[in-house]
Structures are given as structure tokens and as C-alpha cells.
Amino acid sequence: MEKHMHIPDNYLSPGTCAVMGAAMIPVWTISAKKVSKELSNSKVPLLGIGAAFAFLMMMFNVPLPGGTTGHAVGGTLLAILLGPWSACICVTISLLIQALIFGDGGLLAFGANCFNMAFVLPFVGYYLYKVIKNRVSSNTGEYVAIAIGSWVGIVVASLCAAIEFGIQPIFFKDAAGHAMYCPYPLSVSIPAMVLPHMLVCGVAEAAFAVSIIAFIKKLSPGMIYEGAKSRFSAVYGLIITLICISPLGLLAAGTAWGEWGADEIEKVTSGGSALGYVPAGMKTGLDFHAIFDDYKVKGLPEWTGYIISAAAGAAILIIVFKIIGVFLKKRKGCAV
């Protein structure tokens, strides 16, 4: 079950993937340095909680016009809670776990997916939120800033993904003139990606961000305000609740736009006519199968596999960041 904006392998050329990966290297480097220097040891485990939130939010698919599906990401939410550099790390690790263990998002396209969802989304959303928040003084105004930042962040991220899709048929064609990777030009990819995110996914992103921040402010303000009380039991309770209701994401049927398999794309209709061929890059490209492909567990009902996948993904992320926290604590101790 590929997710809208999770670019799968073989939709972008290897060259495009390499460029996007290279663009993320300095971002990851700065993010890692910022987090290790600026985040206190007690706050590092919060990255695991943040990554778990992002992972779970991306499991809640919503139906989109045209029979496809989409989801929220939580990038702006995490940037507001932890800072944009920390949010970048959280979403990056979430995307890595999704790709490696659940087959959601391509391995070669990992850099592109991180650029869109771990870099563009949280930074655009966060700084727009800050601009608006600095001009309002009321609590309501702050929530409006959260909603607008979240909405704009995911819409701009979807535009980046649409451009990455849409330039493929311009630059990469075979001898017959057929696209080798994504076959849809910018005139198709931009409205197909951006409009659903403006109308549906952006609203879901804003709703999640406002609701979760309101919840945390009330029950565990220490996650936001330094020196305030942190009630991790309440936060973990929210994560468990999201895990239990995650099968709601299965109610949105259909394949996300731009994520059809090689066995589907030939029959996909655009502009009233089917594509009629399978791009060469999809025939011969990377064919990776994860352990729990499509969040399914062999031999179990789909909804059960979805809950197990949600629990496993959230647990892995929390444990990974706890280990990172221990490592950073030891390193800082040695530095002293």
C-alpha cells in the first residue's frame, strides 16, 4: 500500500535519485550536528516519540478525488514540537523504516522522499508558522498559525514531488519516444499531486497538528515548554490509541497517484486514454520486497497486519532514538 507522495522505485531515473540524495547529504549532516549539540539528553527520546507520530500519521490514508489515496505526514507538527532540524531527523528515520521494513517508498528514491517530506515540508511549515505566530498574541491565533503552516508545508512538498515526477518524460525517453520512468508530464503531475493535497491531505495535516499540539499542551506541556511537566504516559497513551485505530487507513481504497506497479500502469487512464505501455525503467528497475510489504503479515487478516505493523514501526522508532540518546549521552560525557 504505497502512500501518496511516497515516490516508489523506478518512477525517477537513477540520475534524479542520485541528485536528490546528494542534496540531502548536507541537510542530514547539519541536522545531526544541530540535534547532538542543541538537544539535551532528556529531550533526545522525544525524537523517537516524534518519529512514531510521523510514522503513524502516514498510515492513515484518506480517499482523494479520482479514486486514489493520500495521507498526512506531521512534518510541521514535529518542527513545532522539536525544531525543524530535529523534525528532519525524525521524518527521515520514519521514511527509512517504512522503505526497508514495510516496502513503502523506494530505496533508490529515498533521497527524493526525504527532500520532500523531511526537508521541504517541516522547514516551510515551521517558518511560516513562526512568521504568523509572531504577529498574533492569542491562543487561537497560534492554532491558526499551526494550521496554515501545516497546510502550506505539505502542499509545497507535494509540488516538489510533482515536479520530480513531471520532469522524467522530458529528459528520459527510449528509442520509441516512450517515457522510461514516470510517463506523466508536469501538466498532469502538478494538478494530480497538488490539488488533492490542497483539498484533502493539507486539511488532514492541519487537523492532526492542531489536535496533537492541543493534546500535548494540556497533558504533557514539558514536550513544548522547557521546565514544564512531561507526562509521557499520556503521550504513549495517544500513540497506542493511534496504533489501535490505524486500520481506519485501510478504508481508503485505491492506489496513490504515481505509485502504480508495472502490472497496473499500462492500463492507467489519463486524459481519456490508457497509457498503453510499460516504461522501460519499470520493467528492468529495482524490485525490492520488504519483510512486511504493504504493512501485511502473512496468514493474518489485513487489519490485524496493519495494527501489528503500526505497533512494530512505532516501537522500532522509539527504541532507535533511545539508543541514539544513550550514545549521545556517553559521547557528551567523554567530551566533558
Side-chain angles (χ1 to χ4, degrees), residues 14-298:
T16 306
C17 293
V19 168
M20 300 308 296
M24 281 304 298
I25 289 173
V27 177
W28 287 324
T29 302
I30 296 170
S31 296
K33 287 180 179 177
K34 291 269 188 183
V35 169
S36 63
K37 285 182 180 179
E38 297 175 7
L39 212 63
S40 63
N41 292 332
S42 61
K43 287 271 189 181
V44 171
L46 294 180
L47 297 183
I49 293 172
F53 273 132
F55 179 87
L56 293 170
M57 285 172 67
M58 287 187 263
M59 292 190 73
F60 285 88
N61 296 314
V62 291
L64 299 177
T68 62
T69 62
H71 61 82
V73 176
T76 302
L77 162 68
L78 299 186
I80 293 168
L81 290 176
L82 303 167
W85 297 105
S86 295
C88 178
I89 295 291
C90 289
V91 178
T92 292
I93 302 298
S94 293
L95 292 172
L96 182 62
I97 296 299
Q98 286 177 330
L100 285 175
I101 299 178
F102 303 102
D104 194 3
L107 294 180
L108 295 178
F110 177 67
N113 285 324
C114 287
F115 182 85
N116 303 331
M117 289 183 275
F119 176 54
V120 171
L121 196 166
F123 278 86
V124 169
Y126 176 77
Y127 284 109
L128 180 57
Y129 153 78
K130 290 289 284 184
V131 167
I132 298 171
K133 182 178 179 291
N134 290 339
R135 284 161 175 74
V136 296
S137 55
S138 67
N139 200 42
T140 301
E142 182 179 356
Y143 283 119
V144 170
I146 293 167
I148 293 173
S150 299
W151 185 86
V152 172
I154 199 168
V155 169
V156 174
S158 72
L159 174 61
C160 292
I163 292 170
E164 291 151 18
F165 278 129
I167 63 173
Q168 300 306 305
I170 297 174
F171 296 110
F172 307 103
K173 294 182 179 179
D174 61 20
H178 291 153
M180 295 180 67
Y181 303 101
C182 176
Y184 299 107
L186 293 166
S187 60
V188 174
S189 67
I190 289 177
M193 287 292 292
V194 176
L195 289 178
H197 282 85
M198 291 176 68
L199 298 173
V200 182
C201 297
V203 176
E205 181 86 358
F208 261 117
V210 168
S211 301
I212 291 175
I213 287 176
F215 176 90
I216 288 172
K217 271 189 174 185
K218 185 174 182 180
L219 295 177
S220 187
M223 282 188 70
I224 302 175
Y225 307 113
E226 201 70 48
K229 187 177 180 181
S230 292
R231 287 181 55 197
F232 288 107
S233 58
V235 177
Y236 285 125
L238 177 57
I239 288 174
I240 291 169
T241 301
L242 291 173
I243 289 169
C244 292
I245 65 173
S246 63
L248 291 173
L250 294 170
L251 297 177
T255 303
W257 191 93
E259 298 178 10
W260 304 281
D263 57 335
E264 301 176 276
I265 194 163
E266 187 174 6
K267 298 175 184 176
V268 172
T269 301
S270 178
S273 59
L275 182 63
Y277 68 93
V278 179
M282 293 186 189
K283 288 180 181 178
T284 60
L286 180 65
D287 185 22
F288 172 75
H289 293 283
I291 302 170
F292 300 113
D293 247 347
D294 293 337
Y295 303 95
K296 293 176 182 176
V297 177
K298 192 174 181 181

